[in-house]
Each structure stands twice: as C-alpha cells, then as structure tokens.
Amino acid sequence: MSQASTNLLPDGDAVWHCAGVQPKALRNLLGHYPTGVAIVTTRTPQGRNVGLTINSFASLSLEPPLVLWSLVNHSPSLAVFRDCAHFAINILAHGHEALARRFANPAVEDKFAGVSLREAPEGLAAIDGAIATLVCANDHSRTVGDHLLFVGQVVRTASQPGRPLVFHAGRFTSVQEGEAP
C-alpha cells in the first residue's frame, strides 16, 4: 500500500489537513461515522402529512427529555417544520431502506402513499414498524450554518424490538445480530 493511498506518514500517524476543508471532502470524512436513520413527520395546519429522512438526529438531554435534528435551509419542508407545534422522529428498522430512500427523494410527490401508518394522539403520522417513535413538542429552532437546528421536547414514545437501519460510508447497513444489547 502506498503512503498516498493510506494517507499515513511513515511513522503511522494520520496526515492532518487544513481546517478549510471543502464540503464534499467533509461529507466524505463524516461518512466514516455511522448514524441511525429516521423519518421525521409532522402535519400542516391544513392536515397534510409532511415527512423526510434524516440522519442528523441525536439525544440532547434526559432532564428535560430533549432531542435535536437539523434540516438544510433550502428544504421545501423547512417552513412546515419550523412552524409546527409537534413533530415525530421515527427510528427506522433494518428492513426500511426503501422507505428511507422514498422519504429522502424530493421527486416523490406523496411520500405517504401506500405507507403503513399509525396516528399519534397529537395528530401526527407515525411510521408503522419503526423500532422507536418519539413525539416531540417543537421547543425551538435556530439557524446554524446552512441548516436549521430543531430542539424537540419528547412528550410521548412508542417502541418495539428490532435492529436499527444504519447509514455508513454512503450506504445503508445494520447492526449485526448479537451486537445490540
């Protein structure tokens, strides 16, 4: 293996790059960090379901129970999520790759057509078969870089056993049997 292909110095240390990394290079680098995959849903005041695939979801606080996720500033769904009272984070199971791709595709007009749903008491569509769903009050949002960061206070949850869908190195994968607690 050549030094250039491994990006290592002769003593085995990684090469340090400048802080002004280009967006594509940063995206590739961040792809080394596996993330869970979720679909976030809400409903417009007119009653239309809105949803999209995210992997920018994280726990923020246990007391109070807060989670966060982000949405790019040019998303057509930005205003709906910014102004909603509640949203639901649906953590996808291993077999949900097609569903994740569907909700990530802006060309799909009705992402919910033919999708098995449950309705949360807050009136939100929840993805049937999700291994966990967290219904959140839209606590606040803030523009950070090229994204709007959402903080939600968890007000209701549902869960079922299953292996999570994971995104790593530009592809969908899963935790192998026996790895999950």
Side-chain angles (χ1 to χ4, degrees):
M1 212 180 295
S2 75
Q3 181 177 331
S5 68
T6 61
N7 217 16
L8 296 177
L9 297 174
D11 63 1
D13 290 334
V15 175
W16 291 100
H17 297 278
C18 68
V21 65
Q22 295 299 310
K24 183 177 180 183
L26 181 59
R27 181 181 182 123
N28 289 339
L29 182 67
L30 293 174
H32 292 291
Y33 186 70
T35 61
V37 183
I39 293 174
V40 62
T41 58
T42 194
R43 190 166 280 161
T44 67
Q46 297 76 30
R48 182 177 59 88
N49 288 327
V50 177
L52 47 91
T53 301
I54 61 169
N55 68 350
S56 63
F57 167 69
S59 170
L60 180 60
S61 169
L62 297 177
E63 290 291 330
L66 301 174
V67 296
L68 60 85
W69 67 283
S70 64
L71 183 57
V72 68
N73 287 335
H74 60 76
S75 170
S77 301
L78 187 74
V80 174
F81 282 103
R82 182 193 60 222
D83 299 338
C84 72
H86 293 87
F87 54 80
I89 307 281
N90 299 272
I91 300 171
L92 299 183
H94 172 65
H96 284 152
E97 181 179 338
L99 198 56
R101 289 185 186 281
R102 176 188 183 95
F103 276 80
N105 186 345
V108 176
E109 275 190 47
D110 185 358
K111 293 177 170 65
F112 293 89
V115 175
S116 182
L117 302 171
R118 296 172 293 141
E119 186 166 310
E122 290 74 13
L124 302 172
I127 305 296
D128 196 27
I131 59 174
T133 300
L134 296 91
V135 175
C136 304
N138 194 357
D139 194 70
H140 66 278
S141 59
R142 175 182 175 176
T143 299
V144 180
D146 61 358
H147 279 65
L148 188 62
L149 181 68
F150 291 90
V151 175
Q153 182 160 356
V154 179
V155 297
R156 184 177 316 281
T157 64
S159 66
Q160 63 183 22
R163 292 178 23 222
L165 182 62
V166 175
F167 194 74
H168 177 248
R171 66 182 184 86
F172 290 99
T173 186
S174 182
V175 175
Q176 298 301 313
E177 288 293 332
E179 289 182 41

